[in-house]
Amino acid sequence: MEHTSGLERALRGVALALIVVFFLFPILWIFLMSFQTNEEILRIPPSPFFTPTLGNYAALISGKLTTVSGTLDIAFMRNLWNSVLLSTASVAIALVLGVPAAYAFARFKFRLGEDIAFTLLSFRFAPPLLVLLPLSLYFQQLGLTDTYAGLIWVYQLIALPLILWIVRGYFEDISPDIEHAYRVAGHSWWSTFTRIAVPLAGPGIAAAGLLAFIFCWNNFVFALILASADKQPVTVGALAFVTASGIQYGQIAAAIVLSVTPTLALALYAQRYLVEGLSLGAVKG
Amino acid sequence: MSQVALSIQGVDKIYRRRGRPPVHAVRTLDMQVGSGEIVALLGSSGCGKTSTLRMIAGFEDVTSGSITLAGRRIDRLEPASRGVTMAFEGYSLYPPLTVRDNIAFALKSARLPAREVDKTVEDMARLVDIEPILDRYPSSISGGQQQRASLARALARRADLYLLDEPMGQLEPQLRAILRGRLKNLLVERGMTSIFVTHDQTEANALADRIAVMEGGILQQFADPKTLRERPANLFVATFVGEPPMNVFAATVAVGDRVSFAVDDGPVFSFSSNELPLDVRDAIGGRKRATIGVRPHAVRLGAGPNEARVVSNQWLGDQSHLAMDVAGKLMVAVSHARIAARSGDLVAFRVGAADLHIFDSDTGAAVSHGLAPACG
Amino acid sequence: MPQLAIRDLRKSFKDAVVLDGVTLDVEPGEIVCVFGPSGAGKTVLLRLVAGVETCDSGVVALAGRDVTEAPPETRGVGMAFQNFALFPHMSAFDNIASPLTARRAAPATIKTKVEKIAALLKIGHVLEHAPRELSNGQKQRTALARALVADPKVLLLDDPLRNVDAKLRYEMRLELPSLLKASGATALYVTQDYKEAMALGDRIAVLIDGRFVQVATPGAIYREPASIGVARLFGDPTVNLIPVEPVIRPEGLTVHIAGCIVPLSRRYEHAAGRACMLGVRPEAILVDESPMADGFPVELEAVTPLNEKTLLLLRANDGRELLASEAGEDAAPRRHGVAHARFDPDALLLFDAASGERIPPKA
């Protein structure tokens, strides 16, 4: 039955509000923290009223962390740049490799095809720590330790399976007849792939790319072990705020706000296209 | 009509969804179904027929109006307490039960003696030809078999009203022809009041005592098949009912010694006063424009005052379908004999006054059918 | 030389044999309807000719050129798919134009050709619409236009009317022959509807279980079906089949049906003593309330109108169900109960019970 009483509607509103508060409160609190000094943050009881300061942000951008025991150099902006570089490059490479591979897995039945696809997915099952020890040994021998190339390579473990499996599903949803029709009309298989398959799976490719970007961005442990300070992303860089003389909550909060901003912006921007693309019903013709 | 079993009075159904304009799926529907009567709800998709069936079954609320079954107002009752049973178009069998247990389910819940349950299940299974698969599970039988099992399940129960949603939609045509006959026999023999939804007019014609033609949420006409065919209430019914449907043309009317209808950029159909009785001429009144129609089976080929070029001539084994170009439209003639015309030939034809349907050119309402005016 | 030649084509998927040695020649400009029950391999056959599927063995030749191994884009055929297969991200215009862009035609030529075919198919006003904005009928016409636009020598139509409603299907059935003849293309038309096959085909190729069991004109197939299987596929409702054993008696050749003796033409004398199936089309059964010569009593169980015909469900004394049909829906309203049936002797079909093949009458 689809009609609802006023009471039902009111209850539904209350429930939604509770959920929103539950999930968004931490983010709001972090945001407020980033404009406070450590003393204001740690006072008891906590209070939402304070004199806002940009000191935390200034410290991050200038790279000078002032603590009670002196001034420390931090490379936060460098970390942020590393994050952008590593995530973007990893996703770009994963898309270039993964989209054609996903197409192959979706369209062609070949020997061991399912096994290969599953093996790729199984990379996501293993805890990263399990592979890190042997990997760091190999990397030392290959000279890949502490290089962008090495990190981007390892990030493929995160991005490639994700893109492969999500995009494969989208390709499978496109009726093969649509591609057949384009071939019969006289177009080569390559132009069928680029003009028909890829545009039609576009929303899926965008979604997979976005998801892979966020996963790469949030990665912590690979970069912690395989790279040194000047190649590390923000997730690792945030450790610098745990100093000998205490934890710099204000700066951590500011760092979190700064490091969340790019992914959030990207998600909000892409969301419009994702929803548009997904609701186009394009794939079903 | 005998005693009224189901009475639908002033029922409206409006779907309101946020962010979309409301959809008025059924408009002020009034319908009485007699006890033991078989009624078809016929229309294209989105015409409101399925909404109507679901409102009777209780899967959908009525927005306004009332539904009374066997003297009881049912439109606010739960589906289970309405005394109706329904066969679904799609896959609605309980997956963990065998086909046999599916059919027996409601009978067992009603605490019928085991012997009677077994007999009913066997009877129904025989009726719809699924005896060999009684002990299989729904997942292992074909879509057509599932549909027949669902039909058997609905028919096995005792109810005041049997609702069938596209009961044979997925069956092979051959099987459908046989099942129609058997189903009709069962319904008539046991006096089961039933309403079935279909978009297939062959099925409606074969099974129903009366057919309710719906379009745009409005009941267009509710009558027996013969009346629908011979006296369609309006242009919609005329062009919807019939395979192939009626040929219709917009024409200019001239009433003098003869009554003539000049099809725009096309032939003139002209009738003497002897041919068209006075009350038909009265019904036409002062109209200058009208839409005229003739059923494909009523177009007389071979001789006559009119001529047209053949577009195609298709013989289907027991019928010939001849399409002619009349005023840029296709005019179809059907004959039970084989016609020897080729595309491009000119053929003569005539339309008898007795086969002429006249509709109001603005409202589409019927003005006259053959030799009698349409009654208001 | 045939425009399209198919030689001993075979195709299996895993262990299932879909096409089991199919051979067919289609002459230039001819329309051949490939007709058969679902799962008979009709669509696979069309795909093999189009080149979007590869065969296990056999040859496909277009105008004498062996194209068995050629990729689809080089075959130059036009194809319309059952599910339309329009490109959802392109306008109707671009959809129709796709065979021309593949041939690198000049934009002006493309525009002229697309507009011409669109006008012919009455979709000129929706060329700028995306497929999702088109009605089912318009989608289907767009798909046809796309198949026809480059004037292909061979046209492959995979049940193109399947997914449009009955009324549109009927209209297209009337329009298609002149459209196809005007294009001059050789057409292979797949359908599951025997009426469509009879209406459109110059010849019908009946595909059952991966083999062509009969390839002939519509009239020949209806009157002289090669086997029980073919006879059952043509006719609505389908042919009645009665197991019989013809015997020669003093008064002529006869069969026993439901305890009665029914005469059979002497031209079937060579079938005497064989286990046979008698095929009787519903329109060849005459039903009356009073006894008839050569008739037998039946129970009239149900009378249902069917599209300007009346169907009579009969039950013979031995419990056998028979379907008879009469022209017109106004056939005298009949009461259920005892009636009598008689077969039209000229319209009977006789099949060998074991092989299912038709036993032709002696001249």
Side-chain angles (χ1 to χ4, degrees):
Chain A
M1 309 252 168
E2 55 167 51
H3 77 167
T4 49
S5 66
L7 181 70
E8 248 180 275
R9 232 171 297 160
L11 283 175
R12 195 182 295 171
V14 170
L16 280 174
L18 281 174
I19 292 169
V20 167
V21 167
F22 182 80
F23 282 106
L24 289 187
F25 181 74
I27 294 176
L28 177 73
W29 198 248
I30 288 272
F31 185 71
L32 293 177
M33 272 167 73
S34 72
F35 294 103
Q36 300 173 42
T37 62
N38 233 15
E39 292 70 40
E40 280 171 318
I41 294 168
L42 294 173
R43 72 198 148 161
I44 291 174
S47 157
F49 303 103
F50 59 90
T51 2
T53 166
L54 288 173
N56 296 324
Y57 289 96
L60 290 178
I61 292 166
S62 66
K64 300 282 181 224
L65 186 61
T66 319
T67 68
V68 281
S69 55
T71 304
L72 286 170
D73 278 337
I74 49 159
F76 182 76
M77 292 318 283
R78 168 105 200 161
N79 293 145
L80 198 60
W81 164 245
N82 284 344
S83 276
V84 172
L85 180 81
L86 289 171
S87 305
T88 312
S90 300
V91 170
I93 290 174
L95 283 174
V96 168
L97 296 174
V99 170
Y103 184 72
F105 283 125
R107 278 289 176 262
F108 306 111
K109 299 289 157 241
F110 44 91
R111 229 153 58 88
L112 296 180
E114 282 305 312
D115 301 307
I116 296 170
F118 185 76
T119 307
L120 283 167
L121 183 68
S122 70
F123 296 159
R124 304 274 316 143
F125 302 159
L129 282 170
L130 197 74
V131 291
L132 260 174
L133 186 67
L135 209 56
S136 61
L137 292 175
Y138 288 143
F139 267 43
Q140 269 164 21
Q141 301 229 324
L142 291 169
L144 284 170
T145 318
D146 199 21
T147 59
Y148 287 124
L151 277 181
I152 290 169
W153 188 359
V154 178
Y155 274 23
Q156 295 309 313
L157 283 180
I158 307 166
L160 200 53
L162 206 66
I163 286 176
L164 191 71
W165 276 81
I166 295 179
V167 175
R168 176 190 180 172
Y170 278 85
F171 280 136
E172 279 171 350
D173 277 351
I174 303 172
S175 159
D177 277 348
I178 293 182
E179 290 172 33
H180 290 156
Y182 205 63
R183 296 278 317 262
V184 172
H187 299 269
S188 67
W189 72 265
W190 175 250
S191 77
T192 306
F193 174 67
T194 54
R195 304 271 179 77
I196 302 291
V198 170
L200 288 184
I205 296 174
L210 183 68
L211 215 56
F213 185 88
I214 291 171
F215 274 61
C216 290
W217 185 276
N218 291 344
N219 181 266
F220 174 75
V221 72
F222 285 139
L224 179 72
I225 308 277
L226 296 175
S228 64
D230 68 324
K231 301 284 189 316
Q232 279 170 343
V234 278
T235 42
V236 183
L239 281 181
F241 302 111
V242 185
T243 63
S245 55
I247 301 171
Q248 303 300 313
Y249 287 107
Q251 273 113 2
I252 291 187
I256 290 174
V257 170
L258 279 184
S259 61
V260 161
T261 308
T263 41
L264 195 68
L266 191 64
L268 287 178
Y269 170 77
Q271 179 199 351
R272 224 174 69 221
Y273 295 96
L274 286 177
V275 172
E276 215 170 79
L278 294 174
S279 61
L280 191 66
V283 172
K284 303 284 181 228
Chain B
M1 185 167 39
S2 56
Q3 199 187 347
V4 173
L6 176 78
S7 171
I8 299 175
Q9 277 162 339
V11 163
D12 272 89
K13 176 72 198 175
I14 303 172
Y15 291 97
R16 290 199 173 84
R17 250 187 284 169
R18 206 181 324 168
R20 303 216 189 142
V23 177
H24 208 148
V26 177
R27 287 171 197 265
T28 342
L29 178 67
D30 286 301
M31 225 171 117
Q32 263 76 44
V33 177
S35 177
E37 198 176 17
I38 308 168
V39 167
L41 294 177
L42 177 68
S44 46
S45 57
C47 73
K49 58 187 193 298
T50 302
S51 293
T52 304
L53 197 75
R54 294 177 65 84
M55 282 192 287
I56 301 171
F59 303 133
E60 237 29 288
D61 285 343
V62 298
T63 307
S64 64
S66 73
I67 303 176
T68 312
L69 176 61
R72 242 169 16 123
R73 175 113 187 234
I74 59 163
D75 52 85
R76 297 284 163 198
L77 300 180
E78 286 298 307
S81 47
R82 293 190 175 200
V84 302
T85 166
M86 180 153 167
F88 295 87
E89 180 186 10
Y91 312 116
S92 64
L93 299 175
Y94 313 123
L97 300 184
T98 59
V99 171
R100 182 190 302 279
D101 292 337
N102 260 287
I103 301 174
F105 190 80
L107 305 174
K108 284 181 181 161
S109 328
R111 304 196 184 285
L112 259 59
R115 188 176 302 166
E116 194 175 326
V117 172
D118 287 346
K119 187 178 176 313
T120 311
V121 172
E122 298 285 337
D123 283 352
M124 289 306 135
R126 193 171 320 116
L127 183 89
V128 299
D129 259 346
I130 52 166
E131 291 156 292
I133 55 158
L134 270 179
D135 291 311
R136 292 182 41 192
Y137 286 90
S139 56
S140 70
I141 61 178
S142 73
Q145 289 168 330
Q146 293 196 33
Q147 187 164 47
R148 281 182 275 158
S150 175
L151 181 61
R153 183 177 64 180
L155 295 174
R157 272 183 61 187
R158 303 249 171 87
D160 294 324
L161 179 63
Y162 294 81
L163 302 173
L164 315 172
D165 189 3
E166 301 273 5
M168 300 183 197
Q170 303 184 29
L171 307 185
E172 303 242 323
Q174 272 78 358
L175 186 61
R176 229 182 279 175
I178 300 243
L179 277 197
R180 269 185 216 130
R182 291 196 198 155
L183 179 61
K184 174 136 191 178
N185 263 356
L186 177 85
L187 297 178
V188 170
E189 244 168 49
R190 304 204 177 164
M192 295 155 79
T193 312
S194 36
I195 299 183
F196 67 100
V197 157
T198 181
H199 68 275
D200 175 2
Q201 45 177 305
T202 307
E203 195 156 297
N205 272 318
L207 280 173
D209 297 321
R210 282 195 297 162
I211 300 174
V213 181
M214 294 186 75
E215 173 65 14
I218 297 169
L219 180 62
Q220 302 285 338
Q221 191 170 6
F222 185 28
D224 63 276
K226 190 172 153 77
T227 307
L228 283 185
R229 207 166 52 245
E230 291 176 3
R231 307 183 62 78
N234 56 40
L235 205 52
F236 174 80
V237 177
T239 51
F240 186 79
V241 175
E243 284 175 290
M246 186 183 281
N247 301 295
V248 292
F249 299 96
T252 303
V253 187
V255 182
D257 280 353
R258 299 175 70 82
V259 182
S260 62
F261 302 89
V263 175
D264 306 348
D265 305 318
V268 178
F269 298 102
S270 163
F271 304 93
S272 73
S273 353
N274 296 339
E275 286 175 298
L276 270 190
L278 201 58
D279 31 353
V280 171
R281 302 177 66 138
D282 285 348
I284 296 170
R287 282 186 176 80
K288 292 276 170 275
R289 300 278 298 163
T291 302
I292 57 169
V294 58
R295 294 225 163 266
H297 293 83
V299 178
R300 309 271 168 251
L301 292 167
N306 299 102
E307 225 178 24
R309 201 165 289 283
V310 175
V311 174
S312 69
N313 179 10
Q314 304 178 340
W315 183 67
L316 305 178
D318 55 349
Q319 288 185 341
S320 277
H321 290 222
L322 191 79
M324 301 176 285
D325 180 0
V326 172
K329 285 174 66 179
L330 288 183
M331 178 163 180
V332 180
V334 173
S335 153
H336 286 279
R338 198 166 179 175
I339 305 168
R342 300 163 61 97
S343 58
D345 289 357
L346 272 179
V347 288
F349 68 95
R350 69 183 289 268
V351 173
D355 299 317
L356 184 74
H357 299 260
I358 304 173
F359 302 91
D360 187 274
S361 56
D362 298 323
T363 64
V367 173
S368 75
H369 303 290
L371 305 180
C375 28
Chain C
M1 179 174 41
Q3 185 67 47
L4 166 66
I6 298 168
R7 287 281 168 278
D8 199 27
L9 215 52
R10 287 169 197 276
K11 175 76 182 173
S12 306
F13 291 109
K14 298 236 173 80
D15 298 331
V17 179
V18 180
L19 290 180
D20 189 14
V22 165
T23 296
L24 180 71
D25 282 338
V26 188
E27 297 304 321
E30 192 184 21
I31 305 172
V32 171
C33 283
V34 178
F35 168 78
S38 54
K42 306 184 294 291
T43 295
V44 174
L45 174 65
L46 221 58
R47 284 163 183 269
L48 291 179
V49 177
V52 295
E53 198 97 61
T54 50
C55 62
D56 300 339
S57 69
V59 176
V60 176
L62 297 173
R65 182 171 70 101
D66 182 348
V67 295
T68 317
E69 303 290 330
E73 61 266 28
T74 64
R75 299 194 181 189
V77 300
M79 184 161 180
F81 292 79
Q82 196 187 96
N83 52 13
F84 312 135
L86 297 177
F87 314 128
H89 56 312
M90 296 184 190
S91 67
F93 183 97
D94 289 339
N95 264 282
I96 298 171
S98 61
L100 300 172
T101 55
R103 289 162 178 76
R104 308 202 186 287
T109 321
I110 293 179
K111 194 164 166 8
T112 325
K113 285 201 166 186
V114 171
E115 280 170 1
K116 189 174 156 224
I117 192 80
L120 199 63
L121 282 159
K122 301 170 192 158
I123 46 170
H125 56 296
V126 293
L127 281 178
E128 294 314 315
H129 292 207
R132 66 175 183 283
E133 298 164 326
L134 300 176
S135 72
N136 249 10
Q138 290 165 340
K139 281 184 194 166
Q140 187 256 320
R141 283 163 185 266
T142 305
L144 268 179
R146 185 177 65 187
L148 285 165
V149 73
D151 298 319
K153 290 275 187 297
V154 171
L155 200 55
L156 305 171
L157 304 166
D158 186 5
D159 216 345
L161 305 186
R162 181 84 181 280
N163 287 325
V164 297
D165 68 54
K167 192 165 281 182
L168 273 172
R169 195 180 320 153
Y170 183 75
E171 276 171 23
M172 279 311 284
R173 205 170 86 193
L174 297 176
E175 282 178 44
L176 263 178
S178 46
L179 207 65
L180 294 179
K181 290 296 174 199
S183 82
T186 302
L188 213 50
Y189 186 107
V190 160
T191 175
Q192 278 201 64
D193 177 351
Y194 88 89
K195 289 181 183 167
E196 218 166 285
M198 289 193 71
L200 298 178
D202 294 322
R203 284 189 298 158
I204 300 175
V206 185
L207 191 65
I208 299 179
D209 293 336
R211 287 168 170 280
F212 281 138
V213 289
Q214 191 170 13
V215 183
T217 61
I221 285 188
Y222 195 83
R223 282 188 307 265
E224 294 157 359
S227 68
I228 292 178
V230 177
R232 286 169 64 94
L233 291 175
F234 289 80
D236 176 25
T238 185
V239 64
N240 296 288
L241 291 165
I242 310 163
V244 293
E245 193 182 306
V247 274
I248 300 176
R249 298 164 65 100
E251 65 266 32
L253 191 66
T254 60
V255 289
H256 265 88
I257 293 171
C260 300
I261 292 167
V262 174
L264 208 58
S265 161
R266 274 197 179 278
R267 292 160 65 205
Y268 285 112
E269 258 173 12
H270 54 294
R274 270 160 81 179
C276 294
M277 276 285 183
L278 188 67
V280 193
R281 296 214 179 269
E283 65 265 25
I285 302 183
L286 312 167
V287 182
D288 206 334
E289 275 161 30
S290 46
M292 289 177 283
D294 302 333
F296 54 93
V298 288
E299 185 88 12
L300 181 53
E301 293 222 312
V303 180
T304 52
L306 174 87
N307 191 15
E308 305 289 336
K309 291 191 288 192
T310 304
L311 277 196
L312 309 170
L313 180 62
L314 312 172
R315 192 180 291 279
N317 287 345
D318 57 354
R320 174 172 301 282
E321 276 175 333
L322 293 174
L323 275 174
S325 76
E326 293 178 349
E329 289 187 358
D330 300 326
R334 295 170 179 282
R335 267 170 321 199
H336 295 194
V338 180
H340 297 268
R342 188 172 79 84
F343 297 152
D344 172 3
D346 297 327
L348 293 179
L349 301 165
L350 201 64
F351 302 95
D352 185 270
S355 68
E357 275 169 39
R358 192 173 73 95
I359 303 171
K362 285 233 172 73

